[in-house]
Every structure is written in structure tokens, then in C-alpha cells.
Amino acid sequence: MARDAEDTKRRLLDAAADEFAQRGIAGARVDRIAAAANANKALIYSYFGNKEDLFDAVFNALVVDTVHDVPIDASDLPGYAGRLFDRNLSRPQALRLAIWHSLERGGAAALPEAVTVANQGKVEAIAEAQERGEVSRTFPAGELMVLITGLSIMGSSELAMTYPSDVTERRRTVTEAVRILTQGDKS
Amino acid sequence: MARDAEDTKRRLLDAAADEFAQRGIAGARVDRIAAAANANKALIYSYFGNKEDLFDAVFNALVVDTVHDVPIDASDLPGYAGRLFDRNLSRPQALRLAIWHSLERGGAAALPEAVTVANQGKVEAIAEAQERGEVSRTFPAGELMVLITGLSIMGSSELAMTYPSDVTERRRTVTEAVRILTQGDKS
């Protein structure tokens, strides 16, 4: 693809990320995305397909970025949870798209490929750390992954039922909870 | 208020709960709510105000119902977390409205009165159990409340980033995590 086309595609993905993060799937408007990217609407259909396809492309790209920027370190899961916590606060788009996906498409909807791949990688890393005796075997690796990623969003305003707390205290709560849940019986 | 008016109001709240749970605030249509309740649209404005006010009325009513049906038992927080987990699965409307509220209004938006009151009651119950020496003091009562309610939604398809697990295993993960986080240093 020519450089111009790559540039346009990148601008469209960035504009779509903003639009979907703010308004979700039903509320997003393809015209608004095209206008924000200073591109022709027809290019969206040509590059990505329909609005649902575009959402999937954006969601996948955001998940790939997150996994790249915040790789799991199964030898230090409290530290990993803290970095995910920071990421969800500083760049909440991936989290917001994940929640829109669940709310609007329902729980039975398939997760984007990138999420499945990312989850599998995390579970394998945790299972290996359990085999090395570094992480408690109280929970199966898959359940521990769910606990850690779930706890890491508890500072985010995207998640309801928060309770007043300054961000430093909430971060300490999250990392300390992960520390407690991953120590214990390692035999 | 006459019994007919009370009946109509109840039908409107039920229809609005369905509509908001499915479509959120921006996506909900007042005409659809009126039609589903077999009532005149003007009655909605007369009883509740505008669409935002109606959302708040529904959200408040759902939270009051949840607190009534699933009261906190600070002497058995793992059991309480399990019952909240079950509630979020069997009647997800309150959770869905909480998430729509956060996503659409943003984290700075005030929570409905019923949520604030419910949270305060839970925090006080946990603090008293800590003073009785029944619950660990590792976390302040407010942070522990956030951990418990946050963990209780981890079986819900409304929350993203779930990982394949049968519901029995996920429930065990949640109650066991709460057990581990609430034992420990009680001095």
C-alpha cells in the first residue's frame, strides 16, 4: 500500500477509536469518523468494511497496542496489575471498547482475535510461573488472569460502583490484592 | 395517588428498565417505553421528567431492590459476594444501568442517591466487622467494599475481558478471592 494510503488508514483508525470510545457501536457515525480523519467515507468501506467491521479493526489494534506497551510479567504479577491500572487510567480507549462490545453485542459475542490471543498468552505465562513455584496454585491460571485483569480496572471511571478514593490509594489496593491472591500455596 | 396511577407508574418503570438496560441512555426512546407500558408518553414527563430523570428514577429503584434482596452480611463477606454474583447473573439490569451510567455520563457524574446510600451502608457494616475482629484490616473498609463488589461482577457477560469458565468455577473463584482478602491480619 502506498504511503498516502497507509497514512489515511491510520488517521481513520485513530478517528474511529475516538468515536467508538465516546459513543459505542450504535451511537458511532461513520460520517463523523470520515470527517474527523479528513477522508472520504467510501474509503472506510473499502479499507475496513461496515461499521461493525471497523469497530473490530479498531478494537483489535488497541488490544495489540496494549499488549505491546504493557507485556505481562508473571514473575511480578502485582507490578503487572499496577501497570495495567495505570494504562487503563491514562489510555482508557481499549477498556471502553471492551465494555461497549460486551454491553452492546452481549456476552455471547465472540471476542476479537487479538483479545483471545492476548488472554491465551497471559494464561500460559501465569501457568509457567505456577510451575516454577513463583505463583500460588490456589487458583487455576485462567481464573487468576481474570482476577488480575478485573482488579486492574477498579480505578477506572469506566467501571461503575467506584467509591471515593484517591488514585494512589486505589492503586495500592489493586496491587496489594494481587500480591495476596498470588502468594500462598505454591506447592 | 390512585391505584391506577400507581399501576401505570410501575409499568413505566419496568418498561424503562428494559429499554435502558438494553440500549443505554442515548439509545433509549421514550416513545418505545410508553408503548411497551401501554401508557401515554406525556405521563412519563409528568411523573418522572425528561429521559435523564427517568433513567435516574429507574437506576435508583433497581439499586434499592438489589440492596433489599441481597443485604450485606459483613460477618460472611464471601457468602455475600456469592449472592451478589448470583444476582448479577440472574438480574443484570442494575449492573447494566450502572455501566451505562459510567460510560455515557463519565466518571465525574454523580451517582444516584440510592447508590451512595447503599455504598455508605456497606462500608459501615464492613468497618464494624473489622472492629469486632471478624474481618482483616489489611484494607480500609471502603477499599474492601470496592474489591468485593468489583469481584462480584466477574461472572457477568456485561463485563469485558472474561475468559472461558463455567459459572460454578467462576463463582468459586470470586468467593475464594473474597475469603482470602478478608482473612489475614485482624488485629
Side-chain angles (χ1 to χ4, degrees), chain A residues 96 98-100 102-103 107 120 123 138-140 143 145-147 150-151 154 157-161 163 165 169-170 172-173 176-177 180-181, chain B residues 96 98-100 102-103 107 120 123 138-140 143 145-147 150-151 154 157-160 163 165 169-170 172-173 176-177 180-181:
Chain A
R96 290 184 67 89
I99 300 175
W100 287 117
S102 299
L103 271 182
Q120 197 53 48
V123 173
T138 302
F139 299 98
E143 295 300 293
M145 189 276 287
V146 169
L147 286 171
L151 286 164
M154 287 193 186
S157 62
E158 275 65 31
L159 191 70
M161 292 169 301
Y163 183 77
S165 167
E169 180 176 24
R170 183 58 45 80
R172 198 199 67 82
T173 295
E176 178 68 6
I180 293 170
L181 293 171
Chain B
R96 290 184 68 89
I99 300 176
W100 287 117
S102 300
L103 270 181
Q120 197 53 47
V123 173
T138 302
F139 299 98
E143 295 301 292
M145 188 276 288
V146 170
L147 287 172
L151 287 164
M154 288 194 187
S157 63
E158 275 66 30
L159 192 68
Y163 183 78
S165 167
E169 180 176 25
R170 182 59 44 82
R172 199 200 66 83
T173 295
E176 179 67 5
I180 293 169
L181 293 171

Short mmCIF file of all heavy atoms in Angstrom, two decimals, chain A residues 96 98-100 102-103 107 120 123 138-140 143 145-147 150-151 154 157-161 163 165 169-170 172-173 176-177 180-181, chain B residues 96 98-100 102-103 107 120 123 138-140 143 145-147 150-151 154 157-160 163 165 169-170 172-173 176-177 180-181:
data_model
loop_
_atom_site.label_atom_id
_atom_site.label_comp_id
_atom_site.label_asym_id
_atom_site.label_seq_id
_atom_site.Cartn_x
_atom_site.Cartn_y
_atom_site.Cartn_z
N ARG A 96 -12.74 0.97 27.26
CA ARG A 96 -14.07 1.44 26.87
C ARG A 96 -14.62 0.60 25.71
O ARG A 96 -15.79 0.22 25.72
CB ARG A 96 -14.04 2.92 26.49
CG ARG A 96 -13.80 3.85 27.69
CD ARG A 96 -13.87 5.32 27.30
NE ARG A 96 -15.20 5.73 26.90
CZ ARG A 96 -16.12 6.20 27.73
NH1 ARG A 96 -15.86 6.32 29.02
NH2 ARG A 96 -17.30 6.55 27.29
N ALA A 98 -13.87 -2.45 25.01
CA ALA A 98 -14.19 -3.78 25.53
C ALA A 98 -15.57 -3.77 26.22
O ALA A 98 -16.36 -4.70 26.06
CB ALA A 98 -13.11 -4.23 26.52
N ILE A 99 -15.85 -2.70 26.96
CA ILE A 99 -17.13 -2.64 27.68
C ILE A 99 -18.29 -2.40 26.70
O ILE A 99 -19.34 -3.04 26.80
CB ILE A 99 -17.08 -1.57 28.79
CG1 ILE A 99 -15.97 -1.92 29.79
CG2 ILE A 99 -18.42 -1.50 29.51
CD1 ILE A 99 -15.76 -0.86 30.87
N TRP A 100 -18.10 -1.50 25.73
CA TRP A 100 -19.13 -1.30 24.71
C TRP A 100 -19.43 -2.64 24.00
O TRP A 100 -20.59 -2.98 23.77
CB TRP A 100 -18.70 -0.29 23.65
CG TRP A 100 -18.67 1.15 24.06
CD1 TRP A 100 -17.57 1.96 24.11
CD2 TRP A 100 -19.78 2.00 24.43
NE1 TRP A 100 -17.92 3.24 24.48
CE2 TRP A 100 -19.27 3.29 24.68
CE3 TRP A 100 -21.15 1.79 24.56
CZ2 TRP A 100 -20.07 4.37 25.07
CZ3 TRP A 100 -21.96 2.85 24.95
CH2 TRP A 100 -21.42 4.12 25.20
N SER A 102 -19.14 -5.67 25.08
CA SER A 102 -19.93 -6.58 25.93
C SER A 102 -21.36 -6.09 26.10
O SER A 102 -22.30 -6.88 26.03
CB SER A 102 -19.28 -6.68 27.32
OG SER A 102 -17.99 -7.20 27.21
N LEU A 103 -21.52 -4.79 26.34
CA LEU A 103 -22.87 -4.26 26.58
C LEU A 103 -23.74 -4.34 25.33
O LEU A 103 -24.90 -4.71 25.40
CB LEU A 103 -22.80 -2.79 26.99
CG LEU A 103 -22.67 -2.44 28.46
CD1 LEU A 103 -22.65 -0.93 28.63
CD2 LEU A 103 -23.79 -3.04 29.30
N GLY A 107 -22.91 -10.99 25.90
CA GLY A 107 -21.80 -11.82 26.35
C GLY A 107 -21.45 -12.95 25.41
O GLY A 107 -20.33 -13.46 25.43
N GLN A 120 -4.78 -15.85 25.96
CA GLN A 120 -4.10 -17.14 25.96
C GLN A 120 -2.64 -16.98 26.39
O GLN A 120 -2.11 -17.76 27.16
CB GLN A 120 -4.22 -17.79 24.57
CG GLN A 120 -3.93 -19.27 24.57
CD GLN A 120 -4.77 -20.03 25.59
OE1 GLN A 120 -5.99 -19.83 25.65
NE2 GLN A 120 -4.14 -20.85 26.41
N VAL A 123 -2.45 -16.42 30.15
CA VAL A 123 -2.72 -17.64 30.92
C VAL A 123 -1.51 -18.57 30.88
O VAL A 123 -1.11 -19.14 31.91
CB VAL A 123 -3.98 -18.36 30.37
CG1 VAL A 123 -4.16 -19.72 31.04
CG2 VAL A 123 -5.21 -17.49 30.59
N THR A 138 -3.44 -21.66 44.19
CA THR A 138 -4.79 -21.63 44.76
C THR A 138 -5.84 -21.50 43.66
O THR A 138 -6.91 -22.12 43.73
CB THR A 138 -4.93 -20.44 45.74
OG1 THR A 138 -3.94 -20.56 46.76
CG2 THR A 138 -6.32 -20.39 46.36
N PHE A 139 -5.53 -20.69 42.65
CA PHE A 139 -6.45 -20.53 41.52
C PHE A 139 -5.83 -21.10 40.25
O PHE A 139 -4.61 -20.96 40.04
CB PHE A 139 -6.75 -19.04 41.29
CG PHE A 139 -7.40 -18.36 42.46
CD1 PHE A 139 -6.65 -17.62 43.35
CD2 PHE A 139 -8.77 -18.46 42.66
CE1 PHE A 139 -7.25 -17.00 44.44
CE2 PHE A 139 -9.37 -17.84 43.75
CZ PHE A 139 -8.60 -17.11 44.64
N PRO A 140 -6.64 -21.71 39.38
CA PRO A 140 -6.13 -22.09 38.06
C PRO A 140 -5.63 -20.84 37.33
O PRO A 140 -6.12 -19.73 37.59
CB PRO A 140 -7.36 -22.67 37.35
CG PRO A 140 -8.37 -22.93 38.41
CD PRO A 140 -8.07 -22.01 39.54
N GLU A 143 -8.28 -18.50 35.81
CA GLU A 143 -9.04 -17.72 36.79
C GLU A 143 -8.19 -16.59 37.38
O GLU A 143 -8.68 -15.49 37.62
CB GLU A 143 -9.55 -18.64 37.91
CG GLU A 143 -10.56 -19.68 37.44
CD GLU A 143 -11.80 -19.05 36.83
OE1 GLU A 143 -12.56 -18.41 37.55
OE2 GLU A 143 -11.98 -19.18 35.60
N MET A 145 -5.81 -15.03 35.84
CA MET A 145 -5.73 -13.99 34.80
C MET A 145 -6.98 -13.10 34.86
O MET A 145 -6.89 -11.86 34.80
CB MET A 145 -5.59 -14.65 33.43
CG MET A 145 -5.29 -13.71 32.28
SD MET A 145 -6.76 -12.92 31.60
CE MET A 145 -7.49 -14.32 30.72
N VAL A 146 -8.14 -13.72 35.02
CA VAL A 146 -9.38 -12.95 35.09
C VAL A 146 -9.39 -12.05 36.33
O VAL A 146 -9.78 -10.88 36.28
CB VAL A 146 -10.60 -13.90 35.11
CG1 VAL A 146 -11.88 -13.15 35.45
CG2 VAL A 146 -10.74 -14.58 33.75
N LEU A 147 -8.92 -12.58 37.46
CA LEU A 147 -8.87 -11.77 38.69
C LEU A 147 -7.95 -10.56 38.50
O LEU A 147 -8.28 -9.44 38.88
CB LEU A 147 -8.37 -12.62 39.87
CG LEU A 147 -9.35 -13.64 40.45
CD1 LEU A 147 -8.65 -14.56 41.46
CD2 LEU A 147 -10.54 -12.95 41.12
N GLY A 150 -9.33 -8.10 35.93
CA GLY A 150 -10.52 -7.49 36.52
C GLY A 150 -10.17 -6.48 37.60
O GLY A 150 -10.74 -5.38 37.66
N LEU A 151 -9.22 -6.82 38.47
CA LEU A 151 -8.82 -5.88 39.52
C LEU A 151 -8.18 -4.63 38.92
O LEU A 151 -8.32 -3.54 39.47
CB LEU A 151 -7.84 -6.57 40.49
CG LEU A 151 -8.48 -7.59 41.44
CD1 LEU A 151 -7.42 -8.50 42.07
CD2 LEU A 151 -9.28 -6.89 42.54
N MET A 154 -10.25 -1.40 38.42
CA MET A 154 -11.04 -0.87 39.54
C MET A 154 -10.73 0.59 39.88
O MET A 154 -11.36 1.15 40.76
CB MET A 154 -10.86 -1.75 40.77
CG MET A 154 -11.60 -3.06 40.61
SD MET A 154 -11.75 -3.97 42.14
CE MET A 154 -12.48 -5.49 41.50
N SER A 157 -12.95 5.11 35.82
CA SER A 157 -14.28 5.68 35.90
C SER A 157 -15.21 4.99 34.92
O SER A 157 -16.42 5.16 34.97
CB SER A 157 -14.24 7.17 35.61
OG SER A 157 -13.78 7.38 34.30
N GLU A 158 -14.64 4.19 34.00
CA GLU A 158 -15.46 3.44 33.05
C GLU A 158 -16.24 2.35 33.78
O GLU A 158 -17.24 1.86 33.28
CB GLU A 158 -14.58 2.77 31.99
CG GLU A 158 -14.25 3.67 30.82
CD GLU A 158 -13.39 4.86 31.22
OE1 GLU A 158 -12.59 4.73 32.15
OE2 GLU A 158 -13.54 5.92 30.60
N LEU A 159 -15.74 1.96 34.94
CA LEU A 159 -16.44 0.92 35.66
C LEU A 159 -17.29 1.56 36.75
O LEU A 159 -16.85 2.44 37.47
CB LEU A 159 -15.45 -0.05 36.29
CG LEU A 159 -16.13 -1.30 36.83
CD1 LEU A 159 -16.63 -2.16 35.69
CD2 LEU A 159 -15.18 -2.08 37.68
N ALA A 160 -18.48 1.08 36.86
CA ALA A 160 -19.40 1.68 37.82
C ALA A 160 -19.05 1.26 39.23
O ALA A 160 -18.11 0.53 39.48
CB ALA A 160 -20.81 1.25 37.48
N MET A 161 -19.81 1.74 40.15
CA MET A 161 -19.73 1.32 41.55
C MET A 161 -18.38 1.62 42.18
O MET A 161 -17.93 0.91 43.06
CB MET A 161 -20.03 -0.17 41.67
CG MET A 161 -21.48 -0.48 41.33
SD MET A 161 -21.77 -2.25 41.15
CE MET A 161 -20.63 -2.63 39.82
N TYR A 163 -15.97 3.97 44.50
CA TYR A 163 -16.23 4.61 45.78
C TYR A 163 -15.11 5.62 45.94
O TYR A 163 -13.98 5.35 45.54
CB TYR A 163 -16.18 3.55 46.87
CG TYR A 163 -16.49 4.08 48.24
CD1 TYR A 163 -17.80 4.33 48.62
CD2 TYR A 163 -15.46 4.31 49.16
CE1 TYR A 163 -18.09 4.81 49.88
CE2 TYR A 163 -15.76 4.78 50.43
CZ TYR A 163 -17.07 5.03 50.79
OH TYR A 163 -17.35 5.50 52.04
N SER A 165 -11.99 7.53 46.46
CA SER A 165 -10.67 7.07 46.85
C SER A 165 -9.70 7.85 46.00
O SER A 165 -9.97 8.10 44.83
CB SER A 165 -10.53 5.57 46.55
OG SER A 165 -9.19 5.15 46.64
N GLU A 169 -4.28 5.56 46.52
CA GLU A 169 -4.78 4.54 47.43
C GLU A 169 -5.41 3.38 46.64
O GLU A 169 -5.20 2.21 46.97
CB GLU A 169 -5.83 5.13 48.39
CG GLU A 169 -6.35 4.06 49.36
CD GLU A 169 -7.31 4.60 50.41
OE1 GLU A 169 -7.94 5.65 50.17
OE2 GLU A 169 -7.44 3.95 51.46
N ARG A 170 -6.17 3.70 45.59
CA ARG A 170 -6.81 2.63 44.82
C ARG A 170 -5.75 1.76 44.14
O ARG A 170 -5.86 0.54 44.09
CB ARG A 170 -7.76 3.23 43.78
CG ARG A 170 -8.55 2.22 42.94
CD ARG A 170 -9.42 1.24 43.75
NE ARG A 170 -10.19 1.85 44.80
CZ ARG A 170 -11.35 2.50 44.62
NH1 ARG A 170 -11.89 2.58 43.44
NH2 ARG A 170 -11.98 3.02 45.64
N ARG A 172 -2.78 1.15 45.25
CA ARG A 172 -2.19 0.32 46.29
C ARG A 172 -3.13 -0.85 46.61
O ARG A 172 -2.70 -1.99 46.81
CB ARG A 172 -1.94 1.14 47.56
CG ARG A 172 -0.94 0.49 48.53
CD ARG A 172 -1.07 1.07 49.95
NE ARG A 172 -2.36 0.71 50.55
CZ ARG A 172 -2.62 -0.45 51.14
NH1 ARG A 172 -1.67 -1.37 51.24
NH2 ARG A 172 -3.82 -0.70 51.65
N THR A 173 -4.43 -0.58 46.66
CA THR A 173 -5.42 -1.64 46.90
C THR A 173 -5.31 -2.75 45.85
O THR A 173 -5.29 -3.94 46.17
CB THR A 173 -6.85 -1.05 46.88
OG1 THR A 173 -6.99 -0.14 47.96
CG2 THR A 173 -7.91 -2.14 46.99
N GLU A 176 -1.88 -4.64 46.04
CA GLU A 176 -1.82 -5.43 47.28
C GLU A 176 -2.78 -6.64 47.19
O GLU A 176 -2.43 -7.74 47.62
CB GLU A 176 -2.18 -4.54 48.48
CG GLU A 176 -2.20 -5.24 49.82
CD GLU A 176 -0.82 -5.70 50.30
OE1 GLU A 176 0.19 -5.37 49.64
OE2 GLU A 176 -0.76 -6.40 51.33
N ALA A 177 -3.96 -6.44 46.61
CA ALA A 177 -4.89 -7.56 46.45
C ALA A 177 -4.27 -8.63 45.55
O ALA A 177 -4.35 -9.83 45.84
CB ALA A 177 -6.22 -7.07 45.85
N ILE A 180 -1.61 -10.55 47.51
CA ILE A 180 -2.19 -11.51 48.45
C ILE A 180 -2.74 -12.73 47.71
O ILE A 180 -2.56 -13.87 48.12
CB ILE A 180 -3.30 -10.83 49.29
CG1 ILE A 180 -2.68 -9.77 50.21
CG2 ILE A 180 -4.09 -11.87 50.09
CD1 ILE A 180 -3.70 -8.88 50.90
N LEU A 181 -3.38 -12.49 46.56
CA LEU A 181 -4.02 -13.60 45.82
C LEU A 181 -3.01 -14.48 45.09
O LEU A 181 -3.35 -15.61 44.73
CB LEU A 181 -5.04 -13.04 44.82
CG LEU A 181 -6.27 -12.36 45.44
CD1 LEU A 181 -7.10 -11.65 44.37
CD2 LEU A 181 -7.14 -13.37 46.20
N ARG B 96 -26.12 -3.41 34.48
CA ARG B 96 -26.06 -2.79 33.15
C ARG B 96 -26.30 -1.28 33.24
O ARG B 96 -25.59 -0.49 32.61
CB ARG B 96 -27.09 -3.44 32.20
CG ARG B 96 -26.73 -4.87 31.81
CD ARG B 96 -27.71 -5.44 30.79
NE ARG B 96 -27.62 -4.79 29.49
CZ ARG B 96 -26.81 -5.16 28.52
NH1 ARG B 96 -26.01 -6.21 28.68
NH2 ARG B 96 -26.78 -4.52 27.38
N ALA B 98 -25.68 0.63 35.77
CA ALA B 98 -24.50 1.24 36.39
C ALA B 98 -23.40 1.45 35.34
O ALA B 98 -22.72 2.49 35.33
CB ALA B 98 -24.00 0.37 37.53
N ILE B 99 -23.22 0.48 34.47
CA ILE B 99 -22.16 0.59 33.46
C ILE B 99 -22.52 1.62 32.40
O ILE B 99 -21.68 2.44 32.00
CB ILE B 99 -21.85 -0.79 32.83
CG1 ILE B 99 -21.40 -1.77 33.93
CG2 ILE B 99 -20.75 -0.66 31.78
CD1 ILE B 99 -21.17 -3.18 33.44
N TRP B 100 -23.77 1.63 31.95
CA TRP B 100 -24.20 2.68 31.01
C TRP B 100 -23.96 4.05 31.62
O TRP B 100 -23.49 4.97 30.95
CB TRP B 100 -25.68 2.54 30.66
CG TRP B 100 -26.09 1.40 29.75
CD1 TRP B 100 -26.91 0.36 30.07
CD2 TRP B 100 -25.74 1.20 28.36
NE1 TRP B 100 -27.08 -0.48 28.99
CE2 TRP B 100 -26.37 0.02 27.92
CE3 TRP B 100 -24.94 1.91 27.46
CZ2 TRP B 100 -26.24 -0.47 26.63
CZ3 TRP B 100 -24.81 1.43 26.16
CH2 TRP B 100 -25.46 0.26 25.76
N SER B 102 -21.81 5.02 33.81
CA SER B 102 -20.38 5.39 33.82
C SER B 102 -19.87 5.69 32.42
O SER B 102 -19.15 6.67 32.20
CB SER B 102 -19.55 4.25 34.41
OG SER B 102 -19.95 4.00 35.73
N LEU B 103 -20.23 4.83 31.46
CA LEU B 103 -19.73 5.00 30.09
C LEU B 103 -20.27 6.27 29.45
O LEU B 103 -19.55 7.01 28.81
CB LEU B 103 -20.15 3.83 29.21
CG LEU B 103 -19.25 2.61 29.11
CD1 LEU B 103 -19.88 1.61 28.15
CD2 LEU B 103 -17.85 2.95 28.65
N GLY B 107 -17.03 9.45 34.43
CA GLY B 107 -16.78 9.10 35.83
C GLY B 107 -17.08 10.22 36.80
O GLY B 107 -17.30 9.97 37.99
N GLN B 120 -22.46 3.57 51.38
CA GLN B 120 -22.13 4.01 52.73
C GLN B 120 -22.53 2.95 53.76
O GLN B 120 -21.78 2.65 54.68
CB GLN B 120 -22.84 5.35 53.02
CG GLN B 120 -22.26 6.10 54.20
CD GLN B 120 -20.75 6.30 54.09
OE1 GLN B 120 -20.24 6.71 53.04
NE2 GLN B 120 -20.01 5.95 55.15
N VAL B 123 -19.99 0.10 53.63
CA VAL B 123 -18.71 0.46 54.23
C VAL B 123 -18.81 0.45 55.75
O VAL B 123 -17.92 -0.07 56.45
CB VAL B 123 -18.24 1.84 53.72
CG1 VAL B 123 -17.00 2.30 54.48
CG2 VAL B 123 -17.96 1.78 52.22
N THR B 138 -6.33 -5.37 56.62
CA THR B 138 -5.33 -5.11 55.56
C THR B 138 -5.78 -3.98 54.66
O THR B 138 -4.98 -3.15 54.23
CB THR B 138 -5.10 -6.39 54.72
OG1 THR B 138 -4.69 -7.43 55.58
CG2 THR B 138 -4.05 -6.15 53.65
N PHE B 139 -7.07 -3.94 54.35
CA PHE B 139 -7.61 -2.88 53.51
C PHE B 139 -8.58 -2.01 54.33
O PHE B 139 -9.33 -2.55 55.15
CB PHE B 139 -8.39 -3.47 52.32
CG PHE B 139 -7.54 -4.31 51.41
CD1 PHE B 139 -7.53 -5.69 51.53
CD2 PHE B 139 -6.74 -3.73 50.43
CE1 PHE B 139 -6.75 -6.48 50.70
CE2 PHE B 139 -5.96 -4.51 49.59
CZ PHE B 139 -5.96 -5.89 49.73
N PRO B 140 -8.60 -0.70 54.08
CA PRO B 140 -9.64 0.14 54.69
C PRO B 140 -11.01 -0.37 54.25
O PRO B 140 -11.15 -0.97 53.17
CB PRO B 140 -9.37 1.53 54.10
CG PRO B 140 -8.00 1.49 53.53
CD PRO B 140 -7.72 0.06 53.18
N GLU B 143 -12.16 0.49 50.67
CA GLU B 143 -11.46 -0.23 49.60
C GLU B 143 -11.93 -1.69 49.54
O GLU B 143 -12.06 -2.27 48.45
CB GLU B 143 -9.94 -0.17 49.83
CG GLU B 143 -9.36 1.24 49.72
CD GLU B 143 -9.60 1.85 48.35
OE1 GLU B 143 -9.03 1.37 47.38
OE2 GLU B 143 -10.42 2.80 48.26
N MET B 145 -14.88 -2.79 50.31
CA MET B 145 -16.19 -2.77 49.67
C MET B 145 -16.04 -2.73 48.15
O MET B 145 -16.73 -3.46 47.42
CB MET B 145 -16.99 -1.56 50.18
CG MET B 145 -18.45 -1.51 49.75
SD MET B 145 -18.70 -0.81 48.12
CE MET B 145 -18.38 0.93 48.45
N VAL B 146 -15.13 -1.90 47.66
CA VAL B 146 -14.90 -1.82 46.21
C VAL B 146 -14.38 -3.15 45.67
O VAL B 146 -14.82 -3.61 44.60
CB VAL B 146 -13.90 -0.68 45.89
CG1 VAL B 146 -13.47 -0.74 44.44
CG2 VAL B 146 -14.54 0.67 46.20
N LEU B 147 -13.46 -3.79 46.39
CA LEU B 147 -12.94 -5.08 45.95
C LEU B 147 -14.06 -6.12 45.87
O LEU B 147 -14.16 -6.87 44.89
CB LEU B 147 -11.85 -5.58 46.91
CG LEU B 147 -10.50 -4.86 46.84
CD1 LEU B 147 -9.58 -5.32 47.99
CD2 LEU B 147 -9.81 -5.14 45.48
N GLY B 150 -16.61 -5.27 43.15
CA GLY B 150 -15.93 -5.43 41.86
C GLY B 150 -15.75 -6.90 41.50
O GLY B 150 -16.00 -7.31 40.37
N LEU B 151 -15.34 -7.71 42.47
CA LEU B 151 -15.16 -9.13 42.21
C LEU B 151 -16.50 -9.80 41.87
O LEU B 151 -16.54 -10.73 41.06
CB LEU B 151 -14.53 -9.82 43.42
CG LEU B 151 -13.03 -9.51 43.62
CD1 LEU B 151 -12.57 -9.89 45.03
CD2 LEU B 151 -12.18 -10.26 42.57
N MET B 154 -17.53 -10.40 38.19
CA MET B 154 -16.60 -11.06 37.27
C MET B 154 -17.17 -12.28 36.57
O MET B 154 -16.49 -12.89 35.74
CB MET B 154 -15.30 -11.42 37.99
CG MET B 154 -14.49 -10.17 38.27
SD MET B 154 -12.80 -10.54 38.75
CE MET B 154 -12.26 -8.89 39.19
N SER B 157 -21.49 -11.32 31.84
CA SER B 157 -21.14 -11.07 30.45
C SER B 157 -21.15 -9.58 30.16
O SER B 157 -20.67 -9.13 29.13
CB SER B 157 -22.11 -11.79 29.52
OG SER B 157 -23.40 -11.27 29.70
N GLU B 158 -21.71 -8.77 31.09
CA GLU B 158 -21.71 -7.33 30.91
C GLU B 158 -20.30 -6.77 31.04
O GLU B 158 -20.00 -5.67 30.60
CB GLU B 158 -22.58 -6.64 31.98
CG GLU B 158 -24.04 -6.58 31.61
CD GLU B 158 -24.69 -7.96 31.53
OE1 GLU B 158 -24.26 -8.87 32.26
OE2 GLU B 158 -25.62 -8.12 30.72
N LEU B 159 -19.43 -7.52 31.71
CA LEU B 159 -18.07 -7.05 31.87
C LEU B 159 -17.19 -7.72 30.83
O LEU B 159 -17.26 -8.92 30.61
CB LEU B 159 -17.56 -7.37 33.27
CG LEU B 159 -16.25 -6.65 33.58
CD1 LEU B 159 -16.49 -5.16 33.70
CD2 LEU B 159 -15.65 -7.18 34.85
N ALA B 160 -16.35 -6.94 30.24
CA ALA B 160 -15.50 -7.46 29.18
C ALA B 160 -14.37 -8.30 29.76
O ALA B 160 -14.25 -8.48 30.96
CB ALA B 160 -14.93 -6.30 28.40
N TYR B 163 -13.02 -14.76 30.47
CA TYR B 163 -12.25 -15.86 29.90
C TYR B 163 -13.09 -17.10 30.11
O TYR B 163 -13.75 -17.22 31.13
CB TYR B 163 -10.92 -15.95 30.65
CG TYR B 163 -9.98 -17.00 30.13
CD1 TYR B 163 -9.24 -16.76 28.98
CD2 TYR B 163 -9.84 -18.22 30.78
CE1 TYR B 163 -8.37 -17.73 28.49
CE2 TYR B 163 -8.97 -19.18 30.30
CZ TYR B 163 -8.23 -18.92 29.16
OH TYR B 163 -7.37 -19.87 28.67
N SER B 165 -14.95 -20.04 31.28
CA SER B 165 -15.00 -20.66 32.60
C SER B 165 -16.45 -21.03 32.82
O SER B 165 -17.34 -20.30 32.42
CB SER B 165 -14.57 -19.65 33.66
OG SER B 165 -14.90 -20.11 34.95
N GLU B 169 -17.29 -22.62 38.45
CA GLU B 169 -15.88 -22.37 38.74
C GLU B 169 -15.64 -20.88 39.00
O GLU B 169 -14.91 -20.50 39.91
CB GLU B 169 -14.97 -22.84 37.59
CG GLU B 169 -13.50 -22.57 37.90
CD GLU B 169 -12.53 -23.09 36.83
OE1 GLU B 169 -12.95 -23.25 35.67
OE2 GLU B 169 -11.36 -23.33 37.18
N ARG B 170 -16.28 -20.02 38.17
CA ARG B 170 -16.08 -18.58 38.36
C ARG B 170 -16.62 -18.13 39.73
O ARG B 170 -16.01 -17.32 40.42
CB ARG B 170 -16.75 -17.81 37.22
CG ARG B 170 -16.57 -16.28 37.27
CD ARG B 170 -15.09 -15.82 37.25
NE ARG B 170 -14.25 -16.48 36.30
CZ ARG B 170 -14.17 -16.17 35.00
NH1 ARG B 170 -14.86 -15.18 34.50
NH2 ARG B 170 -13.37 -16.85 34.21
N ARG B 172 -16.79 -19.91 42.43
CA ARG B 172 -15.83 -20.36 43.44
C ARG B 172 -14.63 -19.42 43.48
O ARG B 172 -14.11 -19.07 44.54
CB ARG B 172 -15.36 -21.79 43.13
CG ARG B 172 -14.75 -22.52 44.32
CD ARG B 172 -13.87 -23.70 43.89
NE ARG B 172 -12.69 -23.27 43.17
CZ ARG B 172 -11.55 -22.85 43.73
NH1 ARG B 172 -11.45 -22.80 45.04
NH2 ARG B 172 -10.53 -22.46 42.99
N THR B 173 -14.16 -18.99 42.30
CA THR B 173 -13.04 -18.05 42.24
C THR B 173 -13.36 -16.77 43.01
O THR B 173 -12.54 -16.28 43.79
CB THR B 173 -12.72 -17.69 40.77
OG1 THR B 173 -12.28 -18.87 40.09
CG2 THR B 173 -11.66 -16.62 40.66
N GLU B 176 -13.78 -17.42 46.86
CA GLU B 176 -12.48 -17.77 47.44
C GLU B 176 -11.57 -16.54 47.49
O GLU B 176 -10.85 -16.34 48.48
CB GLU B 176 -11.83 -18.90 46.61
CG GLU B 176 -10.47 -19.35 47.09
CD GLU B 176 -10.49 -20.05 48.45
OE1 GLU B 176 -11.59 -20.26 49.01
OE2 GLU B 176 -9.40 -20.34 48.98
N ALA B 177 -11.58 -15.71 46.45
CA ALA B 177 -10.78 -14.49 46.47
C ALA B 177 -11.22 -13.58 47.61
O ALA B 177 -10.38 -13.02 48.33
CB ALA B 177 -10.89 -13.76 45.12
N ILE B 180 -9.95 -14.98 50.92
CA ILE B 180 -8.52 -14.73 51.13
C ILE B 180 -8.26 -13.27 51.48
O ILE B 180 -7.46 -12.96 52.36
CB ILE B 180 -7.73 -15.14 49.86
CG1 ILE B 180 -7.79 -16.67 49.67
CG2 ILE B 180 -6.28 -14.67 49.95
CD1 ILE B 180 -7.26 -17.14 48.32
N LEU B 181 -8.98 -12.37 50.80
CA LEU B 181 -8.72 -10.93 51.00
C LEU B 181 -9.30 -10.41 52.32
O LEU B 181 -8.88 -9.36 52.79
CB LEU B 181 -9.31 -10.12 49.84
CG LEU B 181 -8.62 -10.33 48.48
CD1 LEU B 181 -9.44 -9.65 47.37
CD2 LEU B 181 -7.19 -9.79 48.50
#
